[in-house]
Amino acid sequence: MLACERMALLVRLLCLLPSIELVSIFFDRQFCRLYCRALSIRKNPKAKNAMPIPILVLLEVLIVIALSRLVGLAFRSIKQPQVIGEIVAGIMLGPSLFGLVAPDLATALFPAEAVPFLNLLSEVGLLFFMFLIGLEQNPKYLKSNLDIAILTSHVSIIVPFSLGSLLALLLYPIVSNDSVSFTAFALFLGAAMSITAFPVLARIITEHNLQNTKLGTLALTCAAVDEVTACGLLAVAIAVTRTNSMLGALPTLIQSLIYIGFMMTVVRWFLQRLSKHYNRTGRLTQLVVSGIYMGVVASALITELIGIHLIFGAFLLGAAMPKNAALTRELAEKTEDFVLIFLLPVFFAYSGLRTQIGLLNSPELWLLCAAVLGVAIVGKYLGTYVAARVCGISNREASALGWLMNTRGLTELIVLNIGLSLGVVSPLLFTMLVIMTLVTTFMTSPLLEWTYPKWLIRLDISEVSSEDSELEDSPIAGSTEETGKKLLPNYRILVPVANPSTQKGLLRLAVALGQPAAGMGGDDLQSAAVHALSLIELNENYGFESTPVEADRIIQERRSKLSELIESLEVPEARKFVHPIIRVTNDVARETAQIAEIDRADLILVGWHRPTFSSNRLGGRVGRILGNAKVDVAIFVDRGREKLNNLLVPYAANIHDDLGLELALRLLVNSEERRLTVLRVAVDGESGNELSYDFQRVMDQLPVDVRSRIETPIVEAAEPIQAVVAASANADLTIAGTSREWGIERQTLGQYTDELAVQCHSSLLIARCYVKVRSHLASVLSQR
């Protein structure tokens, strides 16, 4: 293209694109040709009614972001990394699905003229994503078992790289051509087989609460070493591809080493001064951020001119940034939202447009695809497993480590796109390797849970932290099984605490249910335990908060707040019965139900909260806990009553009201100051509901001083709910079962009504029975 044409193109784009994008355009001949072709088409009279390219690109971006979010959330619901769903969304928009089902519409929405614009956006997204990956690299990951990690990581690269190079002998004549040297082809295929995606692996480790365990720290160290080594292999592969020989690549590699040294010394020294400036000011100004972003682009341009690739320069600057926790956090927060929400989905869509599953149009090609997948899985898993076993890692941990290192994710997709752009990877092989990427990443979480189940993770956590006090984490966990059973608390309450600063009343009620008051055996450690559960939900897939170091910081902050809440309890003796549990999760409701089942909780006591899109008190997360939990559940609607002396139980003779009555009797037995009213409502002259036979027997077993504090009036009313509402004006706590009489009933479509929850004057405890044979009273009655 002539210089004047190139200059004219740049001038026309100045009003449309950010300056950091113009550099890529200037050097992209293919983009310039396609852009000029698009301009000629738009000037064509036959195409005068066609949608302008800028408008079309914006429409494409709108579709891409919406679909990637939807599919990503769907994959999160099945416990898969959100990035896998976003990659699948990109493939769905390409010829593999959309182009197959509606080819005319696909051509209209994604014409060839618009594809270079998507490429441009995706390149900018990759630059800043690689900067974020470098920013998140932390020397802390290299402080644990470094010798074992180096051996394991390198073997986990050498084995799949060697197998990939052998596979290249079979694939080269079928999926490549003479314009690509076999050396470059083998290097790229071997590098593709060797990749471990650090961001996805870090996310999986954090979500499984492995970041402080031996397995988690070893996996992080191996992945960090793997990432550096794999980047070196990829740089060599790119240099060989561009120079077409190993000897010709030597100057490029030498220049790369010199630049790396420059970045890790001179540039790092300058950035350390920036860190000191941040410590003084406490904030990142727009001027500083713009300087950093300019540094990202400049570093990317230098590595491109050297002859490797743009992404290496961006990664290097991120790695050279000082690991000042506050600085890193603020810079990541300012950068990642736009990159992860807007730019990366465009990259996935661009990759999807280049993925053509239809090219695998014969059984022989599908067999080759299976061979690629098999080599990738076996090479990475066996290399990791054997090396870990040689280093003395247990069989189960070595197997789990092998599955973790098989995670490829977005890092693999970046490598594949580079190979396709350079022409060393054909569209057919690109499609095979994309399938391999999806399968190996998809299989990581289920195989990890199968190999290393949650009860083992809890044992690992108990070895490194005595602050989490689940049953496995308590001192009794080290005793014999027989002694342990004797020392276990007789009654266990699990209390999910979403916000420690506002849920003091919830914890106070849990302590009142669990422990007798002072003077009534309230110092008996064996009688009950309250587990204050604080779950931290990570909402974004590649957010900086999902890195293990940042997750640890968030956990420590939450632990501090939870400890303050426990220390704020008025009765000092009650604090020693409350044990905090802090965990990271991707599904609070499901994790709560699982912890309750594993820890053999007798009751889940959860606070009420208003769902985002509903006014129903028992919807949203509370409703999911009610649906998932296989133990009895009670929902507390707090009206701010500090004392719980006057208890009201509306009774309609069903299993949920029976549970409510049991809980009320437990509160009554635990304190001599409390009084209980069991309210039975007679409607239209009918007699009130009688207590069940089992409860008559329980009432007969109660001590005289307890029975004397119980009243069982019968009132006549046309509307039972209004009778309870009126009676609640004289109560501190009303305990009602989820039954039709009290307007708290699960309907056919899974919704809950909550009329009593809205109108009740006192605090309200809503009881839902799951286990018909319970022992909520056994522990307190046995002490009397």
Side-chain angles (χ1 to χ4, degrees):
M1 182 175 289
L2 298 177
C4 59
E5 293 176 333
R6 193 184 292 272
M7 184 61 68
L9 175 61
L10 289 174
V11 172
R12 297 188 66 175
L13 288 177
L14 279 173
C15 298
L16 297 176
L17 301 171
S19 59
I20 59 174
E21 299 175 0
L22 293 178
V23 181
S24 298
I25 298 171
F26 188 82
F27 291 102
D28 195 338
R29 294 176 178 273
Q30 182 181 5
F31 172 81
C32 294
R33 288 197 298 270
L34 288 174
Y35 188 87
C36 292
R37 191 187 309 163
L39 292 178
S40 65
I41 290 174
R42 290 174 62 186
K43 293 177 181 179
N44 191 331
K46 295 182 179 179
K48 62 181 179 180
N49 294 326
M51 185 180 297
I53 292 295
I55 302 300
L56 183 60
V57 171
L58 290 177
L59 178 61
E60 291 171 351
V61 171
L62 181 65
I63 294 171
V64 166
I65 294 176
L67 186 63
S68 66
R69 286 285 108 181
L70 289 175
V71 180
L73 291 175
F75 270 69
R76 280 184 63 83
S77 68
I78 58 173
K79 301 173 71 173
Q80 286 294 324
Q82 184 172 317
V83 67
I84 297 300
E86 294 177 351
I87 294 173
V88 170
I91 294 174
M92 290 169 62
L93 290 171
S96 299
L97 181 62
F98 189 29
L100 185 66
V101 175
D104 293 338
L105 183 58
T107 303
L109 279 176
F110 296 95
E113 295 79 13
V115 171
F117 289 88
L118 295 180
N119 181 25
L120 184 62
L121 290 173
S122 67
E123 287 287 343
V124 175
L126 286 185
L127 284 187
F128 285 93
F129 176 71
M130 292 303 296
F131 169 70
L132 286 172
I133 291 181
L135 192 66
E136 293 167 5
Q137 292 294 313
N138 197 306
K140 290 184 179 180
Y141 300 144
L142 301 175
K143 291 183 178 179
S144 177
N145 300 316
L146 186 57
D147 51 346
I148 298 176
I150 290 176
L151 175 62
T152 304
S153 178
H154 285 150
V155 174
S156 74
I157 289 177
I158 293 171
V159 174
F161 185 90
S162 302
L163 292 178
S165 300
L166 291 174
L167 183 63
L169 294 171
L170 173 65
L171 293 178
Y172 182 71
I174 302 173
V175 300
S176 190
N177 54 65
D178 295 337
S179 64
V180 178
S181 70
F182 176 77
T183 303
F185 181 83
L187 283 173
F188 253 100
L189 188 59
M193 296 296 177
S194 308
I195 293 293
T196 294
F198 184 86
V200 180
L201 181 138
R203 175 75 186 203
I204 292 173
I205 285 175
T206 303
E207 288 186 346
H208 285 79
N209 293 283
L210 286 166
Q211 65 270 17
N212 288 319
T213 65
K214 179 181 177 182
L215 172 63
T217 53
L218 180 59
L220 287 168
T221 307
C222 286
V225 174
D226 187 291
E227 190 157 53
V228 174
T229 307
C231 282
L233 284 175
L234 181 60
V236 171
I238 293 172
V240 171
T241 300
R242 286 179 168 173
T243 60
N244 217 25
S245 71
M246 287 293 293
L247 188 61
L250 282 178
T252 299
L253 297 178
I254 293 173
Q255 292 174 41
S256 300
L257 291 175
I258 294 173
Y259 183 64
I260 291 172
F262 173 76
M263 290 293 292
M264 293 300 151
T265 54
V266 177
V267 174
R268 189 174 180 82
W269 172 83
F270 176 78
L271 292 174
Q272 289 287 358
R273 298 179 67 86
L274 173 64
S275 176
K276 293 178 181 178
H277 171 74
Y278 177 83
N279 289 336
R280 290 194 301 269
T281 60
R283 61 187 293 265
L284 280 175
T285 63
Q286 290 186 355
L287 179 62
V288 174
V289 174
S290 65
I292 293 173
Y293 288 173
M294 289 171 64
V296 172
V297 177
S299 182
L301 285 174
I302 291 172
T303 52
E304 179 69 23
L305 292 173
I306 287 174
I308 43 179
H309 197 272
L310 293 165
I311 64 170
F312 291 102
F315 175 81
L316 275 174
L317 185 68
M321 288 290 296
K323 303 313 173 188
N324 181 324
L327 169 63
T328 303
R329 187 181 312 115
E330 185 173 351
L331 184 57
E333 289 173 351
K334 287 178 178 293
T335 307
E336 67 181 9
D337 283 344
F338 183 68
V339 173
L340 304 181
I341 294 172
F342 188 91
L343 295 176
L344 274 189
V346 175
F347 169 71
F348 298 140
Y350 178 68
S351 301
L353 292 173
R354 307 169 89 184
T355 304
Q356 305 175 56
I357 297 179
L359 293 176
L360 301 174
N361 53 12
S362 69
E364 292 79 8
L365 291 178
W366 279 107
L367 283 175
L368 285 178
C369 183
V372 170
L373 179 61
V375 167
I377 295 173
V378 172
K380 199 70 176 176
Y381 176 81
L382 280 183
T384 304
Y385 178 82
V386 172
R389 292 291 288 149
V390 169
C391 292
I393 306 300
S394 69
N395 178 61
R396 192 185 289 269
E397 286 183 329
S399 181
L401 184 61
W403 296 129
L404 283 169
M405 295 297 287
N406 240 312
T407 304
R408 287 178 171 84
L410 178 54
T411 309
E412 178 77 10
L413 202 61
I414 294 172
V415 173
L416 299 183
N417 274 276
I418 292 174
L420 185 60
S421 298
L422 293 174
V424 70
V425 174
S426 66
L428 176 58
L429 182 58
F430 178 82
T431 300
M432 292 180 180
L433 292 173
V434 167
I435 293 173
M436 179 271 291
T437 301
L438 291 174
V439 173
T440 53
T441 309
F442 190 92
M443 63 191 277
T444 300
S445 287
L447 285 175
L448 175 63
E449 291 189 6
W450 173 66
T451 306
Y452 214 74
K454 288 194 172 183
W455 65 270
L456 273 177
I457 294 175
R458 297 184 196 286
L459 291 178
D460 273 357
I461 294 173
S462 67
E463 291 179 4
V464 297
S465 173
S466 60
E467 296 180 41
D468 279 0
S469 301
E470 288 175 87
L471 296 182
E472 290 85 358
D473 300 338
S474 62
I476 64 173
S479 56
T480 64
E481 182 177 355
E482 182 178 354
T483 306
K485 287 182 178 179
K486 292 180 180 179
L487 293 176
L488 285 175
N490 295 324
Y491 191 70
R492 296 176 293 280
I493 304 175
L494 185 67
V495 187
V497 180
N499 187 349
S501 62
T502 61
Q503 293 188 292
K504 183 177 179 180
L506 178 68
L507 193 58
R508 187 189 295 121
L509 174 60
V511 171
L513 278 167
Q515 291 298 325
M520 300 183 67
D523 58 348
D524 183 7
L525 285 169
Q526 187 182 347
S527 59
V530 175
H531 291 155
L533 174 65
S534 185
L535 294 176
I536 301 169
E537 188 169 23
L538 304 179
N539 295 316
E540 297 300 329
N541 195 37
Y542 273 112
F544 179 72
E545 68 173 17
S546 68
T547 60
V549 171
E550 183 67 8
D552 278 343
R553 184 191 67 82
I554 297 173
I555 288 172
Q556 292 305 319
E557 284 186 358
R558 184 68 61 87
R559 191 188 304 280
S560 175
K561 292 180 180 178
L562 205 55
S563 298
E564 290 177 6
L565 173 62
I566 295 171
E567 290 300 317
S568 69
L569 294 174
E570 289 80 4
V571 182
E573 292 80 7
R575 300 169 190 167
K576 57 188 173 183
F577 300 108
V578 183
H579 310 294
I581 305 172
I582 298 95
R583 293 286 183 269
V584 173
T585 183
N586 59 0
D587 190 322
V588 170
R590 183 190 296 146
E591 188 78 11
T592 300
Q594 288 177 349
I595 290 177
E597 186 174 3
I598 292 172
D599 292 348
R600 303 184 298 281
D602 296 283
L603 177 71
I604 297 177
L605 180 62
V606 60
W608 161 80
H609 76 286
R610 186 184 299 277
T612 305
F613 299 106
S614 170
S615 60
N616 192 299
R617 270 74 174 167
L618 301 184
R621 185 173 292 166
V622 172
R624 293 198 300 274
I625 292 176
L626 287 169
N628 293 331
K630 296 181 180 180
V631 298
D632 294 340
V633 180
I635 300 94
F636 183 49
V637 182
D638 191 1
R639 306 290 191 208
R641 305 291 179 92
E642 292 190 5
K643 293 188 177 180
L644 303 173
N645 291 339
N646 296 312
L647 309 176
L648 172 67
V649 177
Y651 190 78
N654 59 64
I655 59 172
H656 304 298
D657 286 349
D658 284 349
L659 172 60
L661 187 52
E662 272 198 82
L663 297 177
L665 290 174
R666 188 174 178 94
L667 287 170
L668 190 69
V669 171
N670 283 347
S671 175
E672 295 176 345
E673 298 180 357
R674 297 186 181 118
R675 304 189 66 83
L676 169 63
T677 300
V678 182
L679 182 68
R680 292 171 290 167
V681 181
V683 181
D684 298 331
E686 297 180 0
S687 60
N689 297 294
E690 296 295 329
L691 296 177
S692 66
Y693 173 75
D694 290 338
F695 265 101
Q696 287 287 2
R697 291 184 58 189
V698 171
M699 298 283 277
D700 293 339
Q701 295 174 14
L702 292 174
V704 175
D705 65 313
V706 176
R707 278 184 290 173
S708 64
R709 292 183 278 124
I710 301 175
E711 297 179 358
T712 58
I714 300 175
V715 299
E716 293 186 4
E719 294 291 339
I721 297 176
Q722 296 307 317
V724 177
V725 170
S728 70
N730 300 317
D732 297 317
L733 176 66
T734 301
I735 306 176
T738 54
S739 58
R740 180 179 305 173
E741 285 80 1
W742 321 126
I744 311 171
E745 181 187 24
R746 191 173 180 86
Q747 304 297 325
T748 305
L749 297 179
Q751 299 298 317
Y752 282 85
T753 58
D754 56 357
E755 187 175 348
L756 181 59
V758 176
Q759 300 183 28
C760 188
H761 297 292
S762 68
S763 295
L764 176 65
L765 187 65
I766 303 169
R768 189 226 61 179
C769 174
Y770 180 84
V771 183
K772 293 184 180 180
V773 180
R774 297 176 299 274
S775 58
H776 290 284
L777 289 172
S779 62
V780 289
L781 291 180
S782 63
Q783 299 172 26
R784 300 190 63 87

